[in-house]
Amino acid sequence: MFDSNGGKKLTDAMIDDLQKTDFNNPLEVRKILQKYHKATLKDKLFEAWLNGILSNPTTHMANIIGNALTMVTKVPETTIAGITRGKIPFGEVKAESVGMVQGIKEGATAAVKAFQSGMPSDMVSKIEHNRYTAISGTKGKIIRIPTRALTAADEFFKAVVYRSEVNRLAYLRAIKDGAKGKNLSTKMAEIINDPTKNMDIFAAARNEALYRTFQQPLGHFANKVMSVRDSWYPAKFIIPFIKTPVNIAKFTLERTPLNYAKIIHDFRNGKITTEQLSYELAKPTLGSLISAATVMYVLDGTITGGAPKNKKERELLYATGWQPYSIKIGNKYYSYSRLEPIGSIFGLTADFVNTVKNSSEKTINETSAEVLMSVTKNLSSKTFLSGISKVLDAISDPEHYGATYIEQLAGSLVPSGVAAVARSTDPYVREVESPIEAMQARIPILSQRLPYREGAYQVPIENTGGIMNMISPVKISKENDFKDMAERDIELLRAKRIIEKEKRAVKKEISREKRTN
């Protein structure tokens, strides 16, 4: 049976049933788990809430785009790894690319099965609470459509990446065995069709598929955090996801120059083999190339970073139609924040460049601290980490953030899909001052009874994007008539801040001289 905390007590009957179960069939495993677990009201409430927060179509579009972009980075990284070894790996890249195409059919089949069953083929999913279905029958299947759709999309990309990696590794092994010309394809087919002799290839491909869909196992510390979260029911609502956010953050940081130091350390300590070294070096190299191409666009304002820390300056900047973590095309800003992993690389670069650009009025220590903070700010701004950062803000400064966090938690009781309709049909962002109003602001028609939120110059903040708010994870904002006025006021605000800083420095110097005399 299961105890009250959800931990498993393996009875003899359950052990017998599990021993008879085909572990390659996740649906059968779940049936056994459900047989020995009676879903409680708490389980049903959490399942309904979890699917509610995942019901926004933009969440699924962001997941699909993120998986696609992550998969696409395979080919350039393989190319860079080959160049690092001293040659252009035409054959390796071709095998990998052909595998992607072959994997599309397998992926489509896997996606359909996953959507129908609600279970991944390998029992590994971004849904960390998918051990059993709490709500039974047709009603449960309808409620679980968001998690089923998310699992289906991941299964598609896992299958494509898996087939691609199997092909690539089979090609390398065939070459190593001396196969050439027409014999190469035959040898690759022999390797692929004999998984018993080549188990390492299929295991490595599975790990790559999990890695590229952010589902690889976590380390000891993160698993402990998950265990603590799962042992306290309210914590599931506070931090519903841990594995995916951590894996996305790791994937992004591996593609920054910071990863070079880690790679060298791991290589010296034998954690990375000579054969693996070129592939590991390809990750930060690709990220660095993307960053280098991004710099000039950040300098001319085409690519934006995070918003200023100063509240007044931030409001004035928003009043111009400016948008953080966006690409400016013409007079419109298109958000890239949810287009992972490229979005994080753009954002980290933009924050770094802006910090260095504005460092003339700061000390070395202040600049160093802000460079470090730019990494934290970029990652914490992401949807997948915003829940954790908001909790930490509420704990560290409950007076300023506590009420806001409670309101956001209450608002999450209204499904995100419903909130998306409210945003797309309501022309303005609404002001909320209580948990009830936070829920009302996410309900179509009712949201428009709340007062609109004012920005700089007492102008209502608009919901931009219209019906596209329901589909696209790319937010769009347009420059407006307040641009010139707001830019002038921002310059005055910055000048005033510099003058105040100089005054403080002069007072400090006078005070020091008085003490010396």
Side-chain angles (χ1 to χ4, degrees):
M1 298 293 287
F2 286 77
D3 63 23
S4 58
N5 293 322
K8 282 181 281 189
K9 291 180 179 178
L10 297 179
T11 63
D12 291 339
M14 185 177 183
I15 292 172
D16 288 341
D17 280 347
L18 286 172
Q19 287 176 340
K20 297 172 187 174
T21 302
D22 178 10
F23 279 89
N24 291 320
N25 188 336
L27 195 56
E28 289 302 314
V29 175
R30 188 169 68 182
K31 284 179 181 178
I32 298 298
L33 293 175
Q34 280 204 257
K35 179 180 176 181
Y36 291 91
H37 175 82
K38 185 177 180 180
T40 64
L41 177 60
K42 290 195 300 183
D43 294 330
K44 295 176 181 179
L45 288 174
F46 179 74
E47 184 172 78
W49 176 82
L50 183 68
N51 281 274
I53 65 172
L54 294 173
S55 61
N56 191 341
T58 61
T59 299
H60 297 270
M61 285 300 299
N63 182 56
I64 291 170
I65 293 171
N67 282 341
L69 289 173
T70 305
M71 180 184 70
V72 167
T73 60
K74 265 182 68 61
V75 172
E77 285 177 4
T78 299
T79 304
I80 292 169
I83 294 172
T84 303
R85 297 193 302 272
K87 63 177 182 178
I88 300 176
F90 290 113
E92 189 177 351
V93 168
K94 179 183 176 182
E96 187 173 59
S97 302
V98 169
M100 285 185 182
V101 176
Q102 291 172 341
I104 290 175
K105 183 179 179 181
E106 296 172 15
T109 303
V112 171
K113 287 182 179 178
F115 185 78
Q116 290 174 340
S117 68
M119 291 294 289
S121 58
D122 53 6
M123 295 294 288
V124 181
S125 168
K126 284 176 180 167
I127 312 303
E128 298 168 17
H129 315 271
N130 206 25
R131 186 174 61 200
Y132 46 79
T133 53
I135 304 171
S136 60
T138 305
K139 179 171 61 177
K141 285 186 177 180
I142 293 171
I143 288 173
R144 285 188 296 276
I145 284 176
T147 48
R148 287 162 55 199
L150 198 68
T151 301
D154 288 343
E155 284 297 289
F156 173 83
F157 286 100
K158 272 199 287 189
V160 174
V161 173
Y162 177 82
R163 181 54 54 195
S164 171
E165 188 68 359
V166 165
N167 263 30
R168 186 184 74 82
L169 294 175
Y171 170 84
L172 292 177
R173 179 149 298 175
I175 291 292
K176 189 176 181 180
D177 291 347
K180 292 180 182 179
K182 294 180 180 179
N183 292 331
L184 185 58
S185 298
T186 306
K187 184 63 178 176
M188 283 178 63
E190 288 176 6
I191 292 169
I192 292 171
N193 292 326
D194 192 355
T196 307
K197 281 187 180 179
N198 303 285
M199 289 181 65
D200 58 326
I201 285 180
F202 292 92
R206 180 179 181 276
N207 290 336
E208 182 71 6
L210 294 178
Y211 174 71
R212 296 277 167 179
T213 51
F214 313 118
Q215 296 177 29
Q216 70 269 33
L218 298 178
H220 178 73
F221 177 75
N223 279 323
K224 280 287 185 186
V225 173
M226 286 180 66
S227 179
V228 171
R229 186 272 313 272
D230 292 340
S231 67
W232 186 48
Y233 181 73
K236 294 181 179 182
F237 294 88
I238 297 171
I239 314 175
F241 304 107
I242 294 176
K243 184 170 69 173
T244 300
V246 170
N247 283 331
I248 292 177
K250 284 169 63 178
F251 189 96
T252 300
L253 292 174
E254 284 176 357
R255 282 150 184 82
T256 67
L258 297 172
N259 195 30
Y260 283 118
K262 182 180 181 299
I263 291 170
I264 293 170
H265 177 270
D266 288 347
F267 181 67
R268 286 177 175 173
N269 287 277
K271 294 181 180 178
I272 295 176
T273 65
T274 304
E275 189 178 353
Q276 293 171 328
L277 182 60
S278 60
Y279 293 99
E280 290 302 317
L281 287 171
K283 296 174 184 178
T285 301
L286 177 63
S288 298
L289 290 172
I290 295 172
S291 293
T294 303
V295 171
M296 66 176 184
Y297 295 107
V298 176
L299 291 172
D300 69 12
T302 301
I303 294 179
T304 68
K309 290 189 296 182
N310 183 277
K311 182 182 178 182
K312 182 65 176 175
E313 185 177 337
R314 189 166 62 245
E315 288 179 349
L316 288 168
L317 199 54
Y318 282 139
T320 68
W322 180 90
Q323 193 170 249
Y325 299 119
S326 300
I327 298 174
K328 185 181 180 185
I329 302 175
N331 64 345
K332 290 184 179 180
Y333 291 88
Y334 299 84
S335 169
Y336 59 74
S337 181
R338 298 190 69 180
L339 307 183
E340 302 300 342
I342 306 299
S344 286
I345 296 173
F346 280 0
L348 288 169
T349 305
D351 285 340
F352 176 81
V353 170
N354 289 333
T355 298
V356 173
K357 185 173 66 174
N358 299 325
S359 64
S360 56
E361 58 186 74
K362 298 181 178 69
T363 65
I364 293 177
N365 287 340
E366 288 174 333
T367 302
S368 301
E370 287 201 10
V371 167
L372 185 61
M373 284 299 295
S374 69
V375 177
T376 307
K377 178 174 70 174
N378 180 271
L379 292 176
S380 64
S381 71
K382 302 296 181 182
T383 303
F384 52 77
L385 281 179
S386 62
I388 297 173
S389 63
K390 286 170 184 175
V391 171
L392 295 177
D393 285 341
I395 293 172
S396 62
D397 191 354
E399 185 177 348
H400 287 94
Y401 299 105
T404 302
Y405 178 71
I406 296 298
E407 289 167 2
Q408 290 172 341
L409 196 58
S412 71
L413 296 176
V414 178
S416 295
V418 176
V421 176
R423 274 196 309 275
S424 64
T425 55
D426 191 340
Y428 302 115
V429 176
R430 299 295 166 172
E431 192 70 64
V432 298
E433 296 182 353
S434 70
I436 298 298
E437 289 185 351
M439 295 172 68
Q440 182 180 343
R442 291 166 63 88
I443 300 174
I445 301 174
L446 293 182
S447 66
Q448 299 183 35
R449 297 179 183 178
L450 294 170
Y452 54 73
R453 184 180 300 172
E454 292 183 346
Y457 311 117
Q458 286 73 55
V459 174
I461 300 174
E462 296 182 354
N463 269 324
T464 56
I467 197 67
M468 288 303 292
N469 265 335
M470 291 182 58
I471 305 167
S472 174
V474 177
K475 293 182 179 179
I476 303 172
S477 180
K478 185 178 180 181
E479 284 185 339
N480 54 49
D481 296 336
F482 290 96
K483 184 175 183 294
D484 293 336
M485 186 191 306
E487 286 180 347
R488 182 202 63 199
D489 290 342
I490 288 171
E491 287 301 318
L492 290 173
L493 195 63
R494 289 174 178 172
K496 183 179 178 181
R497 196 161 59 242
I498 293 171
I499 292 170
E500 290 297 325
K501 184 177 180 179
E502 291 297 328
K503 282 182 179 178
R504 289 195 299 271
V506 170
K507 286 181 181 179
K508 191 175 181 180
E509 185 62 32
I510 293 172
S511 175
R512 187 183 295 114
E513 287 180 2
K514 284 182 179 178
R515 285 197 304 273
T516 340
N517 296 331

